[in-house]
């Protein structure tokens, strides 16, 4: 039974309300003049590098998705797949949780491959899950790499010597569990698991480097960088959740409280979030002029 329209509108209104509330909380706890000064001092060269790294991450992500498609004999050229991907990014700017672009791809490719909408949907779902897994792996690896003095919040007890072993042990455990679940739930894509896992790490790695370039643009790369990157990865997970429109608000809220938790500069942390969203929007707007026409 299709979802009644009023429920869809109610869900959208709830997401808009959450986004507005999150942005209000950020503004309420933020020194806006200090944020403005921080943003005005950003170095253009580093911003350009950050934009290039973000674009690279999306190119790799497009290739990863096409790997899943080709594994189940949905044959798209890389150029056509990239156009669809860019259109999806554009729709994700305005629709909640990043699902708008995926829905468009299911609709369009479902017309080209009648009877295969289920496979197309599963490929897109697996693509998102592989990206989330890569985020978690990098988050755990970074957590183990951060020096205890930078990770421990002010006033907290000292971490025991063996604490790094916990996130490091969770990486292979999580990878093994996800592989087993993948074989059980997405068996038809098993030939792509190895390659797409590396591609997913490449996507998230390029975005971590993008965040590092933003810190350099703000003149904050000479101090403790790893805690900022740790908060960035946590904010990326928050932005994926279907809580706001285009992830706006969720990422900023995570940066705000992450900065306070680890005694980081709040203006710098929120500036990274704002600049990352601006770069995401600018790159995604390219999709507005893309035509989803297959080459003949």
């Amino acid at each position: 039974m299709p979802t009644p329209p009023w429920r869809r509108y109610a869900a959208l209104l709830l997401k808009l309300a959450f986004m507005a509330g999150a942005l209000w909380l950020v503004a309420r706890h933020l020194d806006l003049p200090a944020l403005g000064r921080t943003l005005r001092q950003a170095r253009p060269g580093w911003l350009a590098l950050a934009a290039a790294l973000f674009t690279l991450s999306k190119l790799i992500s497009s290739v990863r998705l096409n790997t899943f498609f080709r594994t189940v004999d949905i044959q798209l050229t890389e150029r056509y797949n990239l156009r669809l991907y860019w259109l999806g990014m554009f729709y994700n700017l305005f629709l909640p949780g990043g699902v708008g672009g995926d829905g468009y791809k299911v609709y369009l490719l479902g017309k080209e491959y009648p009877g295969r909408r289920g496979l197309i949907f599963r490929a897109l779902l697996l693509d998102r899950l592989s990206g989330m897994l890569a985020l978690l792996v990098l988050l755990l690896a970074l957590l183990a790499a951060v020096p205890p003095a930078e990770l421990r919040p002010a006033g907290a007890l000292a971490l025991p010597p063996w604490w790094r072993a916990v996130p490091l042990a969770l990486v292979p455990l999580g990878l093994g569990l996800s592989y087993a679940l993948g074989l059980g739930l997405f068996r038809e894509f098993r030939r792509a698991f190895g390659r797409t896992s590396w591609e997913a790490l490449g996507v998230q790695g390029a975005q971590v480097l993008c965040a590092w370039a933003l810190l350099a643009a703000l003149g904050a790369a000479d101090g403790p960088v790893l805690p900022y990157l740790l908060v960035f990865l946590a904010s990326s997970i928050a932005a994926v959740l279907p809580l706001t429109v285009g992830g706006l608000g969720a990422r900023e809220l995570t940066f705000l409280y992450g900065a306070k938790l680890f005694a980081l500069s709040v203006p710098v942390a929120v500036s990274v979030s704002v600049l990352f969203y601006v770069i995401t929007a600018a790159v995604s707007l390219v999709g507005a002029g893309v035509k989803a026409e297959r080459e003949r």
Side-chain angles (χ1 to χ4, degrees), residues 19-124:
M19 181 181 71
L23 291 174
W24 176 80
L25 277 174
V26 171
R28 186 170 177 267
H29 291 86
L30 189 63
D31 183 345
L32 292 177
L35 175 64
R37 288 193 298 272
T38 302
L39 289 171
R40 285 195 298 271
Q41 292 168 1
R43 303 168 187 172
W46 286 108
L47 291 178
L49 177 60
L53 287 166
F54 178 79
T55 303
L56 174 64
S57 77
K58 291 305 178 182
L59 293 175
I60 300 172
S61 188
S62 170
V63 171
R64 179 187 67 191
L65 178 58
N66 207 17
T67 301
F68 284 126
F69 283 151
R70 288 177 172 177
T71 302
V72 290
D73 201 31
I74 296 173
Q75 300 295 332
L76 309 179
T77 65
E78 292 294 354
R79 182 179 176 183
Y80 178 55
N81 179 67
L82 181 60
R83 290 210 299 265
L84 286 181
Y85 193 89
W86 231 270
L87 267 174
M89 287 172 57
F90 174 68
Y91 290 140
N92 287 344
L93 276 179
F94 311 105
L95 296 173
V99 298
D102 286 351
Y104 176 77
K105 281 177 270 194
V106 171
Y107 166 75
L108 188 65
L109 292 176
K111 292 199 302 183
E112 296 188 30
Y113 293 90
R116 311 202 73 187
R117 280 191 174 89
L119 271 180
I120 295 166
F121 173 79
R122 287 168 64 76
L124 290 162

